[in-house]
Amino acid sequence: MTRLPSFKALLSVGVAGLTLAACAVGPKAPDAVIPPAASGAFISAPGSIAVTAAEARDDWWRLYADPVLDGLIAQAFAENNQLEAAEANLRAVRASLSEARAGRLPTTGLSGSASRSQGSAATSLTGAQPPETDSYSVGLDASYEIDLFGRVGSSIRAARADADAQAAALDVIRVSVAAETARAYADACSANAQIAVAERTLALQQNTADLTQRLLEGGAGTGLDTARAQAALAQTRATLPSLRAGRDGAVYRLATLTGRTPVEASEAARNCTRPPQLTQPIPTGDGAALLARRPDVRQAERALAAAAARVNVATASLYPTISLGGSFGSTALDAGDLGKDENYRFSFGPLISWSFPNIAVARARIAQSSALTEAALATFDQTVLSALQETETALTNYANELDRRAALTEARDQAATAARLSRLRFDAGADNFLTVLDSERTLAGADAALAQSDALVTTYQIAVFKALAGGWEA
């Protein structure tokens, strides 16, 4: 006959378990590897004077030397509701980490009871109903899990990685808030700049239309010239409503980002007449520095670590759970007898719990956790590639728009010269009025295209700063 282990033997097992360092069971966590090709210099805009390999700045918006922009971003960091929600979520996840860490501590419980009871006559040997009896009890219970197979330790690692991932998620939102605030401000300024260009063109075309009308009334012009001048005037006037709507939309977007209602929108942004301008190259660093600072990459890496730790938690469920438990208390029939020597009680000993051989549930959880880890690894790899793609795209857009703006500036200057000369030739009788109208239309288009390019340059600059993940450490 197989003998059951003695209490002393069970106790020795538990004490021996306390002397062992907890070790996680399960597969080794997959490594989050950065491709070597991702660590070098950026390949977009090579040799461009618009960027430099110097270390990227966290407070990139200060490169614009615009006090209004500085104030708006500071306000957004303090008042943005998305940031407040992300900070609250981080506090919640950190509280979960504290809960997981509590698994390292013994669990304790205090109990107390007082009861009056009376048995049934049917259970009495004499057939008479037993008398009522009182019972009083107080006690302290404690138990401690010996983390022999790393379940508690792996749970803590998973919770810590979750907290790190949530902190990185907060940083992702900070990057976005800084960039979107700057973009909304720049959009409002750019819209006003384009409105100013349209109004200047409108004034010029109004003068031309007035001239054609005077010539027609004096018998020197034609109705065709007057109609063409009025058509050009109306076409330019039609661009103003959409530009004003775009300006107002940017201002309202800025109000939301800074935690304000539309009626409280920034008047400085509404009246800004020129988008923020850089006077120095953008410092970009290299690929290695980019991936080290990108919070979305850090978030994906921490999510991978959490998923891998949960594989260990699931694997630990295949093995026994060993706990040491004990209780101490006093039970008496009279409240005044509580605490007397003869009424003390205690118990102490190990508890082994094991679901073997019914391990199908544990196997299923291991398979689920392993699949989630593979998904987290793929997400990390994709996040790295997306970060590189976003940065290279932003750099090439910026560099090429600078080239485009230079060409548009030359085109605008040439169109202005052509418009001036055509007016002089018309006044001298060398050209007809159609040449004047055509040259002014060309100038209006060149002015509008240049103003749009100025807006795009600032937009692409901000896209570069956002891709470089500036702002979360500010």
Side-chain angles (χ1 to χ4, degrees), residues 417-428:
T417 300
R420 179 177 57 82
L421 292 176
S422 65
R423 178 57 68 94
L424 291 176
R425 289 175 61 82
F426 172 76
D427 292 341

Side-chain angles (χ1 to χ4, degrees), residues 272 291 328 336 385:
C272 173
L291 297 177
F328 178 79
L385 296 178

Side-chain angles (χ1 to χ4, degrees), residues 149-362:
F149 299 103
R151 186 192 70 81
V152 175
S154 297
S155 297
I156 293 173
R157 285 195 301 276
R160 184 183 298 115
D162 285 338
D164 292 342
Q166 186 60 45
L170 171 60
D171 294 337
V172 170
I173 295 177
R174 287 180 64 88
V175 169
S176 178
V177 166
E180 293 306 315
T181 299
R183 182 174 293 154
Y185 173 67
D187 286 349
C189 296
S190 297
N192 278 333
Q194 292 176 66
I195 289 171
V197 168
E199 288 175 342
R200 288 196 301 270
T201 301
L202 198 62
L204 176 63
Q205 291 176 336
Q206 183 67 62
N207 290 336
T208 300
D210 292 343
L211 175 60
T212 60
Q213 185 64 35
R214 289 195 300 270
L215 291 174
L216 178 63
E217 293 172 354
T222 67
L224 179 59
D225 290 341
T226 302
R228 285 172 172 166
Q230 291 293 341
L233 181 65
Q235 188 174 11
T236 300
R237 188 181 292 117
T239 64
L240 287 172
S242 59
L243 291 173
R244 289 172 181 145
R247 186 265 319 277
D248 292 344
V251 170
Y252 299 150
R253 192 166 77 250
L254 182 61
T256 300
L257 286 162
T258 54
R260 296 291 186 267
T261 62
V263 73
E264 300 172 303
S266 170
E267 286 300 318
R270 185 184 295 277
N271 298 323
C272 173
T273 58
R274 185 186 183 194
Q277 303 291 313
L278 283 180
T279 58
Q280 57 185 295
I282 295 178
T284 61
D286 57 17
L290 168 73
L291 297 177
R293 67 188 283 111
R294 289 268 303 210
D296 57 339
V297 173
R298 180 159 40 91
Q299 180 185 10
E301 187 277 326
R302 291 287 78 202
L304 172 60
R310 289 190 172 91
V311 175
N312 298 137
V313 174
T315 304
S317 63
L318 292 173
Y319 301 92
T321 299
I322 303 175
S323 300
L324 288 179
S327 65
F328 178 79
S330 178
T331 302
L333 298 179
D334 188 276
D337 293 335
L338 290 174
K340 290 185 178 181
D341 291 344
E342 64 272 19
N343 293 329
Y344 281 122
R345 56 179 172 77
F346 77 91
S347 65
F348 176 77
L351 173 65
I352 300 177
S353 175
W354 195 8
S355 62
F356 181 84
N358 183 20
I359 58 175
V361 173

